[in-house]
Amino acid sequence: DTEVTQTPKHLVMGMTNKKSLKCEQHMGHRAMYWYKQKAKKPPELMFVYSYEKLSINESVPSRFSPECPNSSLLNLHLHALQPEDSALYLCASSQVVQGQTYEQYFGPGTRLTVT
Amino acid sequence: EDKVVQSPLSLVVHEGDTVTLNCSYEVTNFRSLLWYKQEKKAPTFLFMLTSSGIEKKSGRLSSILDKKELFSILNITATQTGDSAVYLCAVEGLNQGAQKLVFGQGTRLTINP
């Protein structure tokens, strides 16, 4: 099973709303990632969690707040977003064995529109 | 700053043709280079390359890495319309003890019947 699931598939929110994106994997992967992808652009890394601890934050604005409640789940809490935050948000996970990280598997993404 | 450049950015060929996609990179603490195929949503993993000169092959797709010249190629032979997609090259560097992927802009491949 090489599946990463994300919910919801689509989300429309106003600039004053609070919402959360969810990501789940059951492959035993200990590294999980959030990416943002704008149209016709490559994915841009936002956050990396390794063994449930935040290890990379790519200077993401505080209106995006990640959370890793356990080794299978990754959330992205959204608050006071701007229209330019509209994008496809991708979650990924990868296996870590003796410090070696392997290929990342991506979820289908959440298409976010901020109005 | 880590950088990945793919070429061409766009390619249109006929079914049955062979294509070669290029990826060059500059990255500190290089760990690996990965190729992904992205159709509508999630990038799907194709290859992970860590050693120079060793070809990886999967059906009609193959890829090789040159760590001295800092590039990789992805070959697709006997192309089919289902190969139409954006092909992404990503390079892994080690940053703060965790894996960090830097993606190229992608090559948009269109296969016409």
Side-chain angles (χ1 to χ4, degrees), chain A:
Chain A
D1 180 12
T2 56
E3 190 180 27
V4 177
T5 59
Q6 289 187 243
T7 55
K9 287 188 169 55
H10 300 276
L11 178 62
V12 179
M13 60 185 289
M15 289 189 283
T16 58
N17 291 159
K18 280 187 183 181
K19 296 284 184 186
S20 296
L21 309 185
K22 295 187 185 303
C23 173
E24 192 166 1
Q25 56 87 17
H26 295 288
M27 296 178 278
H29 290 176
R30 302 309 297 272
M32 296 186 77
Y33 312 79
W34 279 116
Y35 289 87
K36 174 182 178 180
Q37 187 174 25
K38 301 282 270 185
K40 297 191 189 303
K41 297 286 187 185
E44 292 178 11
L45 183 66
M46 299 174 72
F47 302 104
V48 180
Y49 272 84
S50 182
Y51 290 89
E52 295 92 72
K53 287 187 172 33
L54 182 65
S55 57
I56 294 179
N57 176 340
E58 288 288 269
S59 303
V60 179
S62 60
R63 57 185 185 269
F64 295 91
S65 174
E67 180 199 17
C68 190
N70 61 54
S71 60
S72 300
L73 292 173
L74 185 66
N75 298 321
L76 186 62
H77 303 297
L78 314 172
H79 175 52
L81 294 194
Q82 304 295 312
E84 60 264 28
D85 296 322
S86 298
L88 181 68
Y89 287 84
L90 292 163
C91 173
S93 70
S94 60
Q95 186 181 35
V96 182
V97 177
Q98 294 182 335
Q100 172 70 44
T101 308
Y102 292 84
E103 63 273 14
Q104 294 181 23
Y105 289 92
F106 285 81
T110 293
R111 175 79 56 194
L112 174 68
T113 303
V114 181
T115 61

Side-chain angles (χ1 to χ4, degrees), chain B:
Chain B
E1 187 180 325
D2 297 345
K3 193 175 171 184
V4 179
V5 177
Q6 291 185 244
S7 64
L9 293 181
S10 180
L11 185 58
V12 181
V13 299
H14 289 292
E15 208 167 16
D17 288 351
T18 292
V19 298
T20 298
L21 310 183
N22 304 294
C23 175
S24 63
Y25 63 90
E26 295 173 25
V27 65
T28 52
N29 296 316
F30 174 87
R31 297 282 294 267
S32 63
L33 184 144
L34 298 93
W35 285 97
Y36 287 87
K37 176 182 181 182
Q38 187 171 27
E39 295 176 82
K40 296 222 186 299
K41 288 266 183 101
T44 52
F45 171 73
L46 295 175
F47 298 111
M48 183 176 188
L49 304 156
T50 55
S51 302
S52 269
I54 299 174
E55 185 183 51
K56 292 229 172 168
K57 202 167 166 59
S58 175
R60 297 175 293 102
L61 277 66
S62 63
S63 183
I64 197 160
L65 174 68
D66 185 329
K67 287 167 74 173
K68 184 179 173 189
E69 300 297 330
L70 307 183
F71 80 90
S72 173
I73 59 172
L74 175 69
N75 277 323
I76 309 176
T77 59
T79 51
Q80 302 170 357
T81 54
D83 296 327
S84 296
V86 174
Y87 288 83
L88 295 165
C89 172
V91 176
E92 176 198 358
L94 189 61
N95 181 286
Q96 302 168 30
Q99 183 194 57
K100 178 179 173 178
L101 281 185
V102 176
F103 282 85
Q105 322 94 294
T107 293
R108 183 171 296 275
L109 177 64
T110 303
I111 311 295
N112 288 328

